[in-house]
Amino acid sequence: MPKAINYKANSVVYFSGDFDERVFLLNTGSIALTSIDIETGEQVTDYIKTGEFFGVKSALGNYPREESAMVLTDSIVYSFTSKEFEAFAQTNTRIILQMIKVFSRQLRTIHRQLASLLDSEEETNPEEGLFNVMNAFYSSQHYKAAGQVGARYKTIYPGGKYISQVEQIIRSTAEVTGRSFGNAEGHNNESVIMPHEKPAPVSDGTVHLAYNKAEDLFEKEEYEAAYDQYHAVIEAGAGEEITDNAYIGAGKSLYAKKEYVRCLQLLTGFISQHPKSVKIGDALMYLGMCYMDMERPDKAIAFFDKAAILSGAGIIGKIRELQKECSSRLQGA
């Protein structure tokens, strides 16, 4: 049976790039879908009407979300699994016809945009193209292919513009297969990841002590140990507040280690799973910081702007400074 979910204004149902098998139906409220026009590169916003489904294509096609779903006013949304939606649609031919019309219109739009791009006289930068292909494979969780494309990039462009991000993704692809939430057990041909002492299991009675220890380790700049300790707190499944704080702690530890790709994965997942958390602003800020350090101020500014709306008083000053820095980089680009 579909589940009714209440979303507060300024929360997020899902982000572009997320993997999610759910289909949503807007019951009450207002939701906007934001995406990037492939022809102009500008943001496009579509507004969901009451009674409309959204998230259908990516859920049924099993590929990443193409758009972000932002909640404008307090809303009630029904969540269907793919199987529930398919069963429901089979008994409602009107829904099938509506979906066909929508998809046909979208396909025509995409075809027009692609035709315009192909007719453009603007030359494509092959280095940037190779980098984008690697990112696309990584975002869709085709890690082996992403690693292979990254290795090809290193061979062709050893001093390229994106070499630091490429090397990071190559390391991450070597680690990501077979690891749990925070522990990379694999190794690549260049180096072996040496095991280090893991924190003891955390119980309800020790969760606050474990979290305080994680904070102390972070302050001492022992980021790997701090990350493992935050992870232990998350796995304990304690209260919402301390778990959310532990997610942010784990994210900031990865950021401090300059493991930007893993930080993006962790905090994007956190936002998707905890859209009502009071720590959404913190997560968005760190996502923006990752993109800033990956020399993508164009992506970072969107996260900072949203973080400024959703953050508390404790970090708004820092976010304002990051917005100014990001704007300066964009103007100087």
Side-chain angles (χ1 to χ4, degrees), residues 95-107:
I95 292 174
I96 297 176
L97 291 173
Q98 183 183 7
M99 291 295 107
I100 291 173
K101 290 178 181 178
V102 171
F103 295 162
S104 296
R105 184 170 62 251
Q106 291 173 342
L107 285 172

Side-chain angles (χ1 to χ4, degrees), residues 34-45 66 109-110 112-114 116-117:
T34 60
S35 58
I36 301 299
D37 188 299
I38 64 174
E39 183 178 9
T40 65
E42 296 179 353
Q43 180 172 290
V44 178
T45 302
E66 296 176 327
T109 301
I110 292 171
R112 175 182 56 78
Q113 293 172 339
L114 287 174
S116 176
L117 287 173

Side-chain angles (χ1 to χ4, degrees), residues 13-317:
V13 181
Y14 57 78
F15 277 96
S16 174
D18 290 350
F19 278 88
D20 192 341
E21 69 147 5
R22 294 176 297 171
V23 174
F24 299 95
L25 172 68
L26 178 59
N27 183 39
T28 62
S30 302
I31 288 180
L33 303 182
T34 60
S35 58
I36 301 299
D37 188 299
I38 64 174
E39 183 178 9
T40 65
E42 296 179 353
Q43 180 172 290
V44 178
T45 302
D46 293 314
Y47 297 95
I48 300 299
K49 298 178 182 178
T50 301
E52 281 189 344
F53 287 95
F54 60 100
V56 178
K57 286 191 300 180
S58 55
L60 299 185
N62 193 30
Y63 57 80
R65 302 290 193 189
E66 296 176 327
E67 72 288 328
S68 297
M70 317 298 290
V71 182
L72 304 179
T73 62
D74 290 358
S75 301
I76 299 176
V77 171
Y78 286 102
S79 168
F80 296 74
T81 66
S82 295
K83 290 183 179 180
E84 287 172 342
F85 177 76
E86 289 172 3
F88 180 72
Q90 286 173 3
T91 60
N92 293 267
T93 55
R94 182 184 61 83
I95 292 174
I96 297 176
L97 291 173
Q98 183 183 7
M99 291 295 107
I100 291 173
K101 290 178 181 178
V102 171
F103 295 162
S104 296
R105 184 170 62 251
Q106 291 173 342
L107 285 172
R108 286 195 299 272
T109 301
I110 292 171
H111 176 75
R112 175 182 56 78
Q113 293 172 339
L114 287 174
S116 176
L117 287 173
L118 290 172
D119 289 339
S120 173
E121 296 180 357
E122 181 180 353
E123 294 184 1
T124 302
N125 183 324
E127 179 187 357
E128 187 169 341
L130 195 60
F131 177 71
N132 289 337
V133 169
M134 180 195 66
N135 272 335
F137 276 129
Y138 194 89
S139 297
S140 61
Q141 298 186 353
H142 292 82
Y143 300 119
K144 184 177 180 180
Q148 291 171 342
V149 175
R152 181 64 175 166
Y153 179 99
K154 285 186 66 177
T155 300
I156 300 175
Y157 306 106
K161 177 181 179 181
Y162 305 103
I163 191 65
S164 60
Q165 296 99 303
V166 169
E167 289 177 340
Q168 184 182 350
I169 285 183
I170 290 174
R171 289 194 298 270
S172 183
T173 56
E175 296 175 6
V176 72
T177 305
R179 76 162 187 248
S180 63
F181 169 90
N183 305 320
E185 305 294 345
H187 59 83
N188 57 27
N189 292 330
E190 297 179 356
S191 61
V192 176
I193 300 172
M194 299 301 293
H196 56 275
E197 184 179 354
K198 302 298 180 186
V202 176
S203 65
D204 289 344
T206 61
V207 66
H208 288 282
L209 291 175
Y211 178 79
N212 289 337
K213 182 178 180 180
E215 293 280 88
D216 290 341
L217 289 167
F218 185 87
E219 290 298 320
K220 294 177 182 177
E221 300 185 358
E222 297 179 24
Y223 301 127
E224 183 68 27
Y227 176 81
D228 287 339
Q229 193 70 43
Y230 285 124
H231 174 213
V233 173
I234 293 168
E235 287 195 325
E240 181 178 305
E241 180 179 356
I242 196 166
T243 299
D244 289 359
N245 285 332
Y247 266 109
I248 300 304
K252 72 180 182 182
S253 298
L254 290 174
Y255 174 79
K257 292 170 61 183
K258 299 184 178 181
E259 294 195 30
Y260 305 126
V261 174
R262 289 179 65 191
C263 183
L264 289 170
Q265 286 181 312
L266 170 68
L267 293 181
T268 299
F270 165 71
I271 291 171
S272 299
Q273 296 169 29
H274 303 82
K276 302 178 183 178
S277 171
V278 296
K279 289 294 181 179
I280 291 292
D282 298 67
L284 290 167
M285 180 185 72
Y286 278 106
L287 290 174
M289 290 167 63
C290 284
Y291 280 115
M292 280 277 282
D293 286 7
M294 293 170 71
E295 299 181 3
R296 292 299 306 273
D298 55 320
K299 297 195 71 170
I301 192 66
F303 287 102
F304 292 146
D305 290 347
K306 194 64 180 176
I309 297 173
L310 300 178
S311 66
I315 62 170
I316 189 64

